[in-house]
Amino acid sequence: MTRRRGAALLALTTVLALAPTAAGAAAEGPEQIVNGTFGTGTAPWWSTGNVTLTLDQGRLCADIPGGTVNPWDAIIGQDDIALVAGETYAYSFTASADPAKVPRALIQLPVDPYTQYYSANPQLDPTGVDHAATFTAPVSLPDAQVAFQLGGSAEPWRFCMDDVSLKGGAEPEVYEPDTGPRVRVNMVGYLPDGPKNATVVTTSTTPLEWLLRDSSGRTVARGSGKPRGTDASSRQNVQTIDFGSYARTGKGYTLTADGETSRPFDITADLYSTLPTDALKFYYTQRSGIEILDSLRPGYGRPAGHVGVAPNQGDVLVPCQPGVCDYSLNVRGGWYDAGDHGKYVVNGGISVHQLMATYERNRSAFTDRQLRIPESGNGVPDVLDEARWEQEFLLSMQVPAGKPLAGMAHHKIHDANWTGLPLLPHLDPQLRELHPPSTAATLNLAATAAQAARLFKPYDPAFAARNLRAARLAWAAAKANPTRYASATDGVGGGSYDDNNVSDEFYWAAAELYLTTGEREYRDFVLASPHHTGDIWRDRGFDWGNTAQLGRLDLATVPNNLPDRARVRRSVVEGADKYLATQRAHPYGMPYDVPDYDWGSNNLVLNNMVVMATAYDLTGTEKYRRAVRESMDYLFGRNALNQSYVTGYGEVASHNQHSRWYAHQLDATLPNPPRGTLAGGPNSSIQDPIAQRLLSGCAPQFCYIDDIESWSTNELTINWNSPLVWVSSFLTDRGGPRCR
Ligand code: 9MR
């Protein structure tokens, strides 16, 4: 935690003076930092050659040069710090930056792979801030390194620090999320004719009485809760409340049980009316290669990123990684994947597919001028314009004719090294590189280009034809190179998106090519694929690495002449029945129940909802629509953390998602993510340092923190907003089932 100097410092000092024997203080270990107060010069602190250490009024100060690329291009550090595994340390320092900067404060392994045991991005300003935190060392090490990484700034600046201290014997930081009232509801609200369920965290095992009150406090309904025992996903004893018989619209209802009153919610038919456009608008501000106009997105305007203007080194003429190819490609445009500046064909594929699929499901809901994007007014539905921005990028990643592996697609393009936060796209100084072509990327291109070919045909036949040519070429190239897998170790400067089984991508691509062309080759491939008949409805849902479901869903819903089409349609309903059963058994009403939550669990919840929604479209059976509606409650607050995972929706909602440009938490001049941005959500594996520090041992639903540093639980991503787009469009659909 970091505090401004001044009043806060005084308060901190006073507390320590009044409570010298507080818990933890008695066992305080010896000081591990040598000369952290700079009373005896600057030794043993060291710096990189471009930084000269000086003493200034009893502090260590240094002028940090501008124009460096990486955070580690300018470092001040101290070596040989002993750490003991399992020991909890109190780490603190005061530091200033003029002008204000966000450097990296690390305690780490001093050699490659520089494993970080503590990492923070303190926001420093000219007056100085106090930084204090505890962490538990995961390993014993005689020679850990305390480092301040100060590089990566275009302009020079001055850094000063004092009172650097590291002491063992600290009490582990106990992180208690503020979960508010124990009655958990969909904070946004409920549909008048929809299901209405809530969950109460309680010690009671006998049915609790509940009261529904309107905004004037009048009780309008009452009933008894249903004891549900201990929920494994939260390790809480819970009861559920079903108040679905109440259907009168209104604002500011509350639900009371066990002496607790829920956050207020509405009952209204237009509950989700703004969600489809908000979720879709997310994509414009993720765009690379184009200026984001403040006139279209007030507060979000920014210069074009990666258009070959320094300090950017891309994306107009991007070379391959050394030894991968002898050409450069213009891969300008597309969407940034997430909070990083990478662009990945596999993940771009499912994202653009789901946007196009949302349109394909219900074309009438999508119009021109709907999203306020630069293309609005061109006569094409805005959702297709937005999809085209990505699809053009995917096409540009195809290996050109005459080159080795022509027709395949490069797996990804991103920075040669990871960059720090915050960093606006146009300020990214890193070298951009194309990574080797992969079969998975090639099949993502084949699938989306085939789909684009049929959807763009009425608007731009030339673009449609270009897509179809690219899709056929990609298909043939993938068939010729069926096992070129992206490497799991290719994760420096960008995510690896590795996948060693591409039989599902083959199936999806064949399905899209068949739906567009009706040709025998693709039909035969579909019919022979094990994914065509196997049970592909995983408990964990589908995602960028599991794409057979995309093919199956489209074969069930997009008109075609498959001989076994009725069976395909039935199979989707079977998948939906499975998720429905999961939801019924789950006291938080989730259609996702696994012992350990995956990275981006919220998108898996949403994708399971897509399957149930499609079953409604196929059958018109109300229980599937109800199941989708109830699942939304989880995302909007009926959960263990009592929060919404969509920015701007619900009284308490994620808003500090990990992003280099919506980095308001680190730099108050930058915005939070736009309304309608989905957070990845609880992730049992908690891979990032802040989650490891604060959430260790978490029950699945608690493995989440709305902090910008938590890239493994709280990122935003194009493939997580895409099922939100699909589902929210379904939820606002007034036309009844779509594909009967
Ligand atoms: O969403 C991806 C998740 O399924 C993987 O397990 C994880 C590790 O490879 O990567 C996630 O994707 C990240 C990507 O690698 C880089 N951009 C941000 C993505 C979301 O965190």
Side-chain angles (χ1 to χ4, degrees), residues 373-393:
I373 55 177
E375 299 80 9
S376 294
N378 66 357
V380 179
D382 282 354
V383 65
L384 287 185
D385 287 323
E386 194 56 67
R388 181 171 180 160
W389 188 261
E390 178 70 2
Q391 189 57 35
E392 294 266 16
F393 159 71

Side-chain angles (χ1 to χ4, degrees), residues 339 421 656-660 707-711 714-716:
L421 274 69
N656 287 319
Q657 288 96 324
H658 177 83
S659 161
R660 280 167 178 69
D707 190 294
I708 194 163
E709 310 280 358
S710 186
W711 42 263
N714 196 34
E715 195 154 353
L716 49 84

Side-chain angles (χ1 to χ4, degrees), residues 133-290:
T134 60
F135 72 99
T136 304
V139 291
S140 289
L141 204 70
D143 59 349
Q145 180 180 79
V146 166
F148 293 88
Q149 294 189 343
L150 309 166
S153 168
E155 55 181 1
W157 59 290
R158 186 164 173 81
F159 172 74
C160 293
M161 67 178 183
D162 202 357
D163 299 328
V164 189
S165 169
L166 179 73
K167 290 179 181 171
E171 288 292 308
E173 199 171 337
V174 181
Y175 172 69
E176 291 248 5
D178 178 4
T179 54
R182 288 183 286 106
V183 182
R184 306 289 156 73
V185 297
N186 179 333
M187 281 182 272
V188 178
Y190 297 85
L191 293 164
D193 60 347
K196 297 176 196 72
N197 295 282
T199 301
V200 191
V201 180
T202 176
T203 51
S204 170
T205 50
T206 52
L208 290 167
E209 185 192 31
W210 58 261
L211 301 177
L212 177 68
R213 293 200 175 95
D214 66 14
S215 58
S216 68
R218 200 168 56 94
T219 299
V220 294
R222 62 175 69 221
S224 298
K226 185 171 170 196
R228 301 288 293 263
T230 302
D231 161 46
S233 68
S234 60
R235 300 187 198 136
Q236 296 165 325
N237 185 67
V238 291
Q239 296 200 15
T240 47
I241 290 173
D242 179 350
F243 60 107
S245 57
Y246 189 83
R248 196 164 300 166
T249 59
K251 288 193 178 307
Y253 287 102
T254 56
L255 202 54
T256 301
D258 203 20
E260 294 266 317
T261 296
S262 73
R263 297 210 176 105
F265 55 86
D266 298 342
I267 298 180
T268 172
D270 64 3
L271 199 62
Y272 298 116
S273 60
T274 59
L275 190 58
T277 43
D278 284 341
L280 263 173
K281 281 177 167 182
F282 163 87
Y283 291 90
Y284 172 51
T285 45
Q286 283 294 116
R287 283 191 192 185
S288 178
I290 188 173

Side-chain angles (χ1 to χ4, degrees), residues 337-338 340 344 418 495-498 543-544 599 711 715 717 720:
D337 187 56
D340 60 329
Y344 310 84
W418 284 109
S496 56
Y497 282 117
D498 55 300
D543 62 5
W544 62 266
W599 193 320
W711 42 263
E715 195 154 353
T717 304
W720 298 343

Side-chain angles (χ1 to χ4, degrees), residues 3 53 62 213 339 392 404 409 459 519 546 643 709:
R3 292 167 183 254
L53 302 181
R213 293 200 175 95
E392 294 266 16
Y459 296 103
E519 288 169 13
N546 298 279
Q643 67 145 85
E709 310 280 358

